[in-house]
Amino acid sequence: MLGFALSVTLASATEAPPSAISDKSEQRKTYAEAQQALGQSRYSEYRNLVQQLEHYPLKPYLEYRYITRRLSRVSNNEIDQFLAEYPGSYLADKLERLWVEKLAENRQWDDVIRYYRADNSTTSLQCLALRARLNTGDKSALEEVAPLWNVSRSQPNECDPVFAAWMDAGLLDDAIAWQRFEKTMQARQRSLARYISRQMTPAVQKQADLYYDVDANPRLLKDMTRFSEQSERMQSIILNGLQRLSLRDAKLAIELWHKYDAQQLFADQARIDTQRYIAVRLLRQGYTDDAEALLASTPALSTETVTEWLIRDALRKQDWPRVQKWIAQLPSDEQNSERWRYWQARALLQTSDDTDKAQQLYTQVAQTRSFYGFLAADILKQDYELVDKPVQIAPPVTELVAENPGVVRAKELFIIGENLNARREWYHTTRSMSEPEVIAAGKLAESWGWHRNGIQAMIQASYWDDLQTRFPIAYREHVDITAKETAIAPHLLYAIARQESAFTPDARSSAGALGLMQLLPSTAKQTAHRSGMSFSTYDLLKPETNIALGGRYLGQLLNEFNGNRILAAAAYNAGPNRVKKWLNKDQATQLPFDIWIETIPYRETRGYVQNVLAYSVIYGYRLGEKLPFITPGEADKSL
């Protein structure tokens, strides 16, 4: 065997290395073969293939994988070579973090210190670096431990040795322990909080136990004799208990608050925060009059959230003087937003004859390309304001960005379908770009069909008037087919897809929704069955299948709600049963459509409906159609 190995080595030394491939399709084929060879540990074949990819942008991904598969046998020199060849890249930073972990695992503490960088770190790595310093005699590392320990969650296991050394040095005291105890209780990490309380001295631990008990059963606060001690910790127990109580019984919480406020000398900010918290719970539990009385007695409690809640309550009741009263309590910049100028105009027309002022407000709002701008334009019977100014970037900037190695890698990853790595490479590369470079990168991404990155670039640069990039006509063939098969206007399909995923075919939500139109597999399966289509969950990541099923589901909702796009859009986001529940609740009042939208209980659904309606108009413009914002049937029907 030794002779055979030697003959192979000698033969390879005399052979010329394979020439580099320049054809892109051949490079991609060779890249795939090299990946397969690596995955099967055929390293000799891999080395032969990788030499043919000298000019292929994804060669670093093969080299990275080759190193990480052999990490326990790699030397510092091999790591240094990779870091030097691809400095500051996504893979270099990732490899550097992995290498620090491996060095710590091997207890090579001097090398941990050498390779660790604070600007390329995680909590685990930070703890490993502190441990390395301690193990090499640098006791000053203990001074940096308290902020790592004093957090609201459990820290990684890598931190345990550092925390133990810090505690052994006597640096954990009751003050720090109580701070963390409160943080963990606020974060609902009750088991961790119980553990932390065991690090306290007996007297303080007793107070922590009382805090814990009141948190679990806040009605204990009714016995005020147990909470008469005048101390900061007792006040923390009371205030947390009142907030917990308000979640279940805000009326009792405000009653007890007034009693404890007379008993204790709470700090000013604590008084404001607690009353504000209770006020929000009063509103959510339907005690609007109590909340308004509390706000009237303490105007400092008003926040945008609370005030907007009261405005919407007044709108639902169509109590226009109250609408005006609470809009006037908003900060001036909020009062001047298109949302609240629109409602100021509506209120004026309901409470006075000042049509000139209302007209002036509507005219101002109608100059914006927004949900409220389109509403105001309809009232004024004028054209919608659709400013469309494609952003102009100097050619040298575009050329510089196009040649950026990270952008080149991200593009190639996107083309071959490695979408997760493509996104990571893109984010890592663009996060340090200037604004013109970000815009140039977004325009490039849009030209490749990577629509989400184009949209995101315009958001990042706060450039709102490039409608081609912000509202791309993506997957048109599939949209047109579905529109024809379902009789749903293309602009509505585009509006839903734009809102749901910004045209990301492999988008996955935390709730499990998939694809361009964000369908839950269960919903897609039912829709496919009703439509006579074959279905597999994986197919939801294919644009043609996702659009076909999403369009059919939207069609079902439109049929269910008599063609009303407002209700169908709300149901697409929040579910049809929830929308029916809202409609049943509002049957006694029969709200105008604009008030119904403004008072949708879920903030997300409210914004969703507003965006879908506004995006429909914009997509009508992009498709060369002049469309009404709200159809006559939708405008005339009370909800």
Side-chain angles (χ1 to χ4, degrees):
M1 289 297 294
L2 180 59
F4 174 75
L6 181 59
S7 67
V8 172
T9 304
L10 291 174
S12 63
T14 58
E15 292 173 2
S19 58
I21 302 170
S22 58
D23 179 73
K24 189 70 75 172
S25 61
E26 285 298 316
Q27 287 180 331
R28 289 168 186 157
K29 180 181 176 182
T30 303
Y31 175 75
E33 291 172 353
Q35 282 188 311
Q36 187 176 39
L38 263 180
Q40 297 174 359
S41 300
R42 304 196 310 268
Y43 293 141
S44 178
E45 180 183 345
Y46 156 75
R47 286 189 290 269
N48 180 62
L49 290 166
V50 80
Q51 289 184 67
Q52 302 174 49
L53 295 171
E54 188 61 35
H55 305 299
Y56 186 54
L58 300 187
K59 181 187 175 188
Y61 279 80
L62 293 171
E63 295 174 331
Y64 171 85
R65 191 176 176 196
Y66 180 58
I67 290 172
T68 55
R69 284 179 66 86
R70 304 158 35 253
L71 201 58
S72 61
R73 306 189 302 276
V74 169
S75 67
N76 285 352
N77 287 340
E78 192 169 350
I79 298 296
D80 291 342
Q81 183 177 346
F82 188 93
L83 298 181
E85 191 164 355
Y86 309 109
S89 67
Y90 163 66
L91 288 179
D93 284 357
K94 187 177 180 182
L95 179 61
E96 188 175 63
R97 294 192 297 270
L98 280 176
W99 190 235
V100 171
E101 290 177 358
K102 176 57 67 174
L103 291 169
E105 182 183 319
N106 295 335
R107 299 179 181 274
Q108 296 173 244
W109 302 117
D110 287 329
D111 283 338
V112 168
I113 293 169
R114 173 190 165 194
Y115 282 95
Y116 174 76
R117 283 193 297 122
D119 61 350
N120 182 34
S121 185
T122 63
T123 300
S124 295
L125 293 180
Q126 190 176 357
C127 286
L128 291 175
L130 289 174
R131 186 180 177 191
R133 287 168 57 190
L134 290 172
N135 286 339
T136 54
D138 181 4
K139 300 304 180 185
S140 68
L142 292 173
E143 300 170 6
E144 301 174 32
V145 176
L148 277 170
W149 186 85
N150 190 6
V151 295
S152 63
R153 62 193 180 279
S154 292
Q155 293 287 44
N157 293 338
E158 289 84 355
C159 295
D160 290 348
V162 175
F163 291 161
W166 178 68
M167 292 179 189
D168 289 344
L171 296 175
L172 173 59
D173 57 28
D174 280 338
I176 297 174
W178 184 268
Q179 288 175 17
R180 190 179 187 195
F181 174 80
E182 282 201 276
K183 290 176 183 177
T184 53
M185 288 296 292
Q186 293 295 323
R188 313 313 303 154
Q189 299 290 315
R190 289 171 57 83
S191 295
L192 178 59
R194 182 65 92 187
Y195 162 77
I196 292 167
S197 70
R198 299 297 176 253
Q199 315 303 316
M200 301 171 178
T201 58
V204 178
Q205 183 180 325
K206 185 177 179 181
Q207 291 178 309
D209 289 343
L210 181 58
Y211 190 118
Y212 197 91
D213 291 343
V214 172
D215 184 87
N217 182 15
R219 290 181 180 274
L220 292 173
L221 290 172
K222 292 171 71 175
D223 181 4
M224 294 184 64
T225 59
R226 294 184 62 184
F227 306 94
S228 58
E229 177 188 318
Q230 298 285 329
S231 69
E232 288 186 13
R233 293 192 183 103
M234 184 59 72
Q235 290 179 3
S236 296
I237 294 168
I238 294 168
L239 295 176
N240 177 72
L242 287 170
Q243 291 192 8
R244 296 294 298 166
L245 178 61
S246 71
L247 294 173
R248 308 172 198 177
D249 189 344
K251 286 275 282 186
L252 178 58
I254 194 62
E255 177 187 331
L256 289 176
W257 159 255
H258 290 305
K259 294 178 179 179
Y260 278 108
D261 192 32
Q263 180 200 74
Q264 297 278 344
L265 294 174
F266 296 114
D268 289 344
Q269 191 59 50
R271 294 183 75 254
I272 294 295
D273 292 344
T274 302
Q275 292 178 91
R276 186 176 286 158
Y277 191 95
I278 296 173
V280 171
R281 271 66 204 172
L282 285 167
L283 289 169
R284 290 184 176 177
Q285 292 168 28
Y287 301 119
T288 306
D289 291 344
D290 296 273
E292 290 204 54
L294 182 59
L295 292 169
S297 66
T298 314
L301 300 182
S302 293
T303 64
E304 288 178 33
T305 300
V306 172
T307 305
E308 289 182 6
W309 188 295
L310 290 168
I311 296 170
R312 291 191 173 94
D313 179 77
L315 283 170
R316 181 173 293 280
K317 296 171 181 174
Q318 299 187 62
D319 184 343
W320 296 105
R322 273 183 70 224
V323 171
Q324 292 176 307
K325 170 189 171 182
W326 288 111
I327 289 179
Q329 299 299 314
L330 288 169
S332 58
D333 58 333
E334 278 299 301
Q335 288 186 45
N336 291 324
S337 68
E338 57 257 32
R339 180 193 304 272
W340 298 122
R341 277 187 292 171
Y342 173 84
W343 288 113
Q344 286 176 60
R346 284 275 272 123
L348 271 173
L349 292 179
Q350 297 291 331
T351 59
S352 73
D353 296 325
D354 194 350
T355 57
D356 289 343
K357 177 62 174 176
Q359 180 94 0
Q360 180 184 354
L361 287 168
Y362 278 139
T363 300
Q364 293 170 357
V365 176
Q367 293 171 8
T368 64
R369 185 186 55 240
S370 69
F371 172 81
Y372 299 98
F374 298 157
L375 280 178
D378 277 353
I379 290 170
L380 297 173
K381 302 187 185 311
Q382 66 184 46
D383 290 339
Y384 304 131
E385 189 66 39
L386 290 165
V387 179
D388 187 7
K389 296 179 181 177
V391 66
Q392 302 297 317
I393 297 293
V397 176
T398 301
E399 292 168 10
L400 181 69
V401 171
E403 294 170 0
N404 182 298
V407 171
V408 173
R409 286 191 292 269
K411 177 185 178 182
E412 185 63 16
L413 288 163
F414 172 71
I415 289 172
I416 67 172
E418 291 191 23
N419 293 328
L420 180 60
N421 278 332
R423 284 192 289 269
R424 289 170 173 170
E425 186 80 57
W426 181 270
Y427 171 75
H428 186 91
T429 302
T430 58
R431 65 182 181 177
S432 58
M433 285 183 173
S434 66
E435 185 174 295
E437 290 171 337
V438 167
I439 294 175
K443 296 291 284 185
L444 285 168
E446 170 60 23
S447 72
W448 309 330
W450 202 353
H451 305 294
R452 179 179 179 82
N453 285 10
I455 293 167
Q456 188 60 43
M458 298 302 115
I459 295 172
Q460 191 173 336
S462 297
Y463 190 85
W464 310 113
D465 292 338
D466 190 330
L467 300 190
Q468 175 182 321
T469 303
R470 291 190 61 219
F471 298 93
I473 307 298
Y475 307 103
R476 183 161 192 171
E477 178 185 355
H478 305 311
V479 170
D480 286 347
I481 290 171
T482 296
K484 184 176 181 180
E485 292 174 346
T486 61
I488 297 174
H491 61 264
L492 182 56
L493 294 173
Y494 276 120
I496 293 285
R498 169 65 170 78
Q499 173 64 25
E500 286 287 351
S501 72
F503 301 108
T504 306
D506 62 340
R508 290 174 168 84
S509 77
S510 58
L514 299 172
L516 288 169
M517 298 186 73
Q518 287 291 277
L519 289 167
L520 289 170
S522 57
T523 301
K525 184 177 181 179
Q526 292 172 0
T527 303
H529 179 73
R530 293 176 65 173
S531 305
M533 296 175 61
S534 61
F535 168 77
S536 74
T537 299
Y538 177 78
D539 287 340
L540 289 178
L541 301 180
K542 298 177 181 178
E544 61 272 23
T545 303
N546 196 284
I547 292 170
L549 287 171
R552 282 161 174 78
Y553 178 57
L554 178 61
Q556 292 172 19
L557 295 175
L558 286 166
N559 288 335
E560 192 168 352
F561 292 102
N562 301 314
N564 189 304
R565 295 175 305 142
I566 297 169
L567 300 179
Y572 200 101
N573 177 257
N577 291 335
R578 194 167 282 119
V579 172
K580 290 174 185 176
K581 180 181 177 181
W582 295 338
L583 289 172
N584 290 337
K585 183 179 179 181
D586 296 331
Q587 271 185 345
T589 52
Q590 290 292 292
L591 299 174
F593 78 90
D594 57 347
I595 295 180
W596 191 87
I597 294 172
E598 189 64 60
T599 59
I600 289 174
Y602 289 2
R603 180 187 183 95
E604 177 189 321
T605 304
R606 188 188 317 140
Y608 184 97
V609 172
Q610 292 174 347
N611 283 349
V612 165
L613 294 172
Y615 291 174
S616 293
V617 171
I618 295 170
Y619 269 108
Y621 161 77
R622 293 280 286 120
L623 293 167
E625 302 176 48
K626 190 173 182 180
L627 301 170
F629 178 49
I630 302 295
T631 66
E634 292 165 340
D636 294 341
K637 185 176 178 60
S638 294
L639 301 176

